[in-house]
């Protein structure tokens, strides 16, 4: 099982929420130099677009400026406030995109042994050392994709040379390429899958492609068990 978190990019300024539609509105005004043309381009009424501009300006200050006369007959341009707002939104969206790509692989198992907060959980893919609630017996262990490390089976360090206490052999079943980060799906035993985020450079170095044998490792503290009983009762 894989869980992917969904996020929507917004900015909150003095109680006013700025979303993607607002940024598209500013971009249209900037492109066309006219609020009327921007409204037509976006399929919105001029009155509603103008009202939204007023709401945003109440929070951040002037975002448009009317220019009169000139060869083009005047028009509407964006202020520095508007350009700053667009940059802040784009920067936030870029940061959030990285977070949104993080998924959690979930593997069910039974707690067999415990040392403090850490428990040995028996699963279909083998034993997983994970953080688990006290007195939990049946758990679902979640592992964040950004906590999984992929290595060549021939280059994998010995257990006593690394803090990555959970280690499994698998086969790459899918590689989803991004601009700088690739999402790799690794098939373990019993058709269980585990996802990992790796840089494009690492993916190329490891030759990650479907069918490639790979070792997937992660720390015990990166694996968190959730009691199945407590989930069902909540």
């Amino acid at each position: 099982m894989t869980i992917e978190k969904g996020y929507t990019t917004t900015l909150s300024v003095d109680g006013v929420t700025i979303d993607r539609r607002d940024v598209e509105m500013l971009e249209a005004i900037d492109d066309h130099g006219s609020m009327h043309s921007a409204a037509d381009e976006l399929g919105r009424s001029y009155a509603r677009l103008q009202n939204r501009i007023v709401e945003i300006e109440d929070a951040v200050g002037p975002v448009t400026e009317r220019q009169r006369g000139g060869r083009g007959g005047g028009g509407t341009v964006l202020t520095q406030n508007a350009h700053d707002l667009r940059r802040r939104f784009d920067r936030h969206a870029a940061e959030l995109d990285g977070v949104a790509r993080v998924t959690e692989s979930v593997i069910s198992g039974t707690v067999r042994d415990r040392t403090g907060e850490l428990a040995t959980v028996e699963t279909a893919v083998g034993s997983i050392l994970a953080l688990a609630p006290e007195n939990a017996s049946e758990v679902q262990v979640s592992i964040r994709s950004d906590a999984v490390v992929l290595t060549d089976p021939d280059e994998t360090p010995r257990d006593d040379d690394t803090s990555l206490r959970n280690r499994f052999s698998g086969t790459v079943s899918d590689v989803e390429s991004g601009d700088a980060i690739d999402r790799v799906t690794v098939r373990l035993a019993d058709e269980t899958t585990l996802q990992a985020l790796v840089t494009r450079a690492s993916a190329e170095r490891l030759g990650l492609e479907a069918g490639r044998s790979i070792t997937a490792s992660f720390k015990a503290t990166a694996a968190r068990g959730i009691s199945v009983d407590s989930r069902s009762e909540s």
Side-chain angles (χ1 to χ4, degrees):
M1 180 193 304
T2 301
I3 299 175
E4 183 163 358
K5 299 177 179 179
Y7 298 86
T8 301
T9 306
T10 60
L11 293 176
S12 181
V13 183
D14 289 343
V16 175
T17 298
I18 310 298
D19 60 18
R20 175 62 66 183
R21 281 173 53 88
D22 295 320
V23 173
E24 290 174 349
M25 175 183 65
L26 295 176
E27 291 173 346
I29 293 173
D30 195 27
D31 290 341
H32 295 281
S34 163
M35 290 176 61
H36 282 284
S37 297
D40 291 340
E41 172 71 18
L42 297 172
R44 306 180 197 175
S45 71
Y46 173 78
R48 293 186 64 180
L49 185 145
Q50 187 178 44
N51 287 339
R52 184 55 180 165
I53 289 292
V54 171
E55 291 174 352
I56 294 174
E57 290 186 331
D58 286 343
V60 305
V63 294
T64 62
E65 181 179 338
R66 179 69 177 173
Q67 288 188 337
R68 300 185 181 278
R71 181 177 300 179
T76 301
V77 298
L78 298 185
T79 65
Q80 189 60 47
N81 280 342
H83 290 301
D84 290 343
L85 186 63
R86 290 172 61 185
R87 279 194 292 268
R88 287 171 59 191
F89 187 93
D90 289 342
R91 185 166 58 249
H92 179 52
E95 293 171 350
L96 194 56
D97 180 65
V99 176
R101 287 179 59 82
V102 176
T103 59
E104 292 181 350
S105 301
V106 180
I107 304 175
S108 299
T110 302
V111 175
R112 295 302 186 194
D113 192 16
R114 180 184 294 275
T115 303
E117 296 86 354
L118 292 176
T120 300
V121 182
E122 295 299 333
T123 74
V125 301
S127 298
I128 297 178
L129 189 62
L131 294 169
E134 186 178 358
N135 299 324
S137 55
E138 299 296 325
V139 297
Q140 289 185 334
V141 180
S142 63
I143 306 104
R144 286 172 54 95
S145 56
D146 58 344
V148 177
V149 177
L150 301 183
T151 53
D152 186 303
D154 295 332
E155 299 176 355
T156 301
R158 298 176 305 178
D159 289 342
D160 54 358
D161 290 337
T162 177
S163 60
L164 302 173
R165 301 298 302 278
N166 295 298
R167 183 175 301 162
F168 300 94
S169 297
T171 303
V172 175
S173 61
D174 184 64
V175 179
E176 179 184 335
S177 298
D179 293 335
I181 301 294
D182 290 355
R183 179 185 294 175
V184 182
T185 301
V186 178
R187 188 170 301 282
L188 306 178
D190 195 45
E191 298 302 306
T192 299
T193 59
L194 185 67
Q195 290 201 342
L197 292 182
V198 300
T199 64
R200 172 61 58 80
S202 294
E204 292 177 351
R205 179 179 60 80
L206 289 169
L208 296 181
E209 60 182 8
R212 168 76 154 96
S213 295
I214 203 73
T215 298
S217 308
F218 52 91
K219 294 182 179 181
T221 52
R224 296 181 177 272
I226 302 173
S227 175
V228 175
D229 293 337
S230 64
R231 282 166 53 90
S232 61
E233 292 171 359
S234 58

